[in-house]
Amino acid sequence: DAGVTQSPTHLIKTRGQQVTLRCSPKSGHDTVSWYQQALGQGPQFIFQYYEEEERQRGNFPDRFSGHQFPNYSSELNVNALLLGDSALYLCASSLSGPRGEQETQYFGPGTRLLVL
Amino acid sequence: QKEVEQDPGPLSVPEGAIVSLNCTYSNSAFQYFMWYRQYSRKGPELLMYTYSSGNKEDGRFTAQVDKSSKYISLFIRDSQPSDSATYLCAMSPDTGRRALTFGSGTRLQVQP
């Protein structure tokens, strides 16, 4: 059973550029959440997608946007990159139950983004 | 003040020791509590998942939740060098549709 996969594993960009990160959820999962983890810190919630819509959003600017596809995979887009966007970007998947309950989240290996 | 506080360590113990890792939180709405283990340059791996107050045991790991004190703990018995990692506590108001709020992580080193 494949777990959560993310691509690419590493990425180097310059300030002002745009980046797209990709995530495939664990088999059977329908909900994808994205987190940003700065060095030495815990992950911070960016947003969550369910049924191809953004269901919840953390305290991140509009430069951060996302998308979920019919096969439940997801993309995270960041525009106008800043040096402070350098971090490990984590995707987590989960299953939203029939009453809206959700199993806990399982994380992928992350994409390490360096902005120069 | 952060919603979830966690001592960053590093915590260094000899092999075989009992390890105690802790988090405190301020949001009384948190109902679901998780512990993740993260090896260097890897994604977090779920270790334990508990609901509300009480204890849960899984092999060498025991998770405790005391909602009245807003305090959660993870105990590791017979610690091994392979347990050396960063341990992150995480919590959520409910399992449905909610973001996880993480502590900053405690770095653990188990010396052989």
Side-chain angles (χ1 to χ4, degrees):
Chain A
D1 175 26
V4 180
T5 59
Q6 292 186 245
S7 63
T9 56
H10 296 82
L11 206 51
I12 300 175
K13 292 286 188 179
T14 56
R15 279 180 300 175
Q17 284 189 312
Q18 179 262 343
V19 68
T20 298
L21 310 182
R22 295 175 177 82
C23 171
S24 290
K26 185 177 165 67
S27 177
H29 284 184
D30 58 7
T31 303
V32 172
S33 304
W34 287 92
Y35 293 80
Q36 180 195 65
Q37 187 177 23
L39 200 60
Q41 299 297 316
Q44 280 201 293
F45 176 75
I46 303 174
F47 42 54
Q48 184 181 86
Y49 277 84
Y50 171 67
E51 292 189 337
E52 301 180 50
E53 290 190 357
E54 184 182 289
R55 186 156 73 174
Q56 189 183 1
R57 188 178 183 93
N59 188 25
F60 278 80
D62 291 345
R63 298 187 297 109
F64 290 78
S65 63
H67 188 78
Q68 186 179 34
F69 299 95
N71 66 354
Y72 308 120
S73 66
S74 177
E75 287 182 349
L76 164 66
N77 301 291
V78 187
N79 294 324
L81 284 166
L82 304 174
L83 297 180
D85 294 331
S86 295
L88 180 68
Y89 287 85
L90 294 162
C91 169
S93 76
S94 54
L95 176 64
S96 290
R99 293 175 295 163
E101 76 275 12
Q102 178 195 72
E103 292 181 0
T104 194
Q105 297 174 24
Y106 295 85
F107 284 82
T111 293
R112 191 162 297 277
L113 173 64
L114 178 61
V115 182
L116 301 176
Chain B
Q1 187 184 0
K2 293 182 179 180
E3 273 191 295
V4 180
E5 298 280 358
Q6 186 174 8
D7 188 333
L11 179 61
S12 184
V13 301
E15 183 175 354
I18 296 174
V19 175
S20 172
L21 304 166
N22 311 294
C23 287
T24 58
Y25 62 95
S26 57
N27 187 346
S28 57
F30 288 142
Q31 299 277 352
Y32 292 86
F33 305 90
M34 287 135 280
W35 286 94
Y36 287 86
R37 176 174 62 195
Q38 186 173 28
Y39 291 111
S40 181
R41 310 185 81 80
K42 301 289 187 185
E45 169 196 10
L46 179 67
L47 281 177
M48 301 286 285
Y49 170 44
T50 55
Y51 168 68
S52 195
S53 286
N55 294 358
K56 185 174 182 179
E57 188 174 320
D58 184 1
R60 296 185 297 113
F61 299 92
T62 299
Q64 285 186 352
V65 175
D66 182 351
K67 288 188 65 184
S68 63
S69 301
K70 296 190 178 68
Y71 187 86
I72 69 171
S73 301
L74 177 71
F75 297 95
I76 307 174
R77 289 183 298 280
D78 187 24
S79 56
Q80 302 295 309
S82 58
D83 294 328
S84 298
T86 295
Y87 289 79
L88 296 157
C89 63
M91 40 201 84
S92 170
D94 59 60
T95 56
R97 312 173 198 176
R98 296 300 182 114
L100 298 181
T101 302
F102 281 85
S104 56
T106 298
R107 192 156 58 93
L108 171 67
Q109 183 130 21
V110 180
Q111 306 288 349

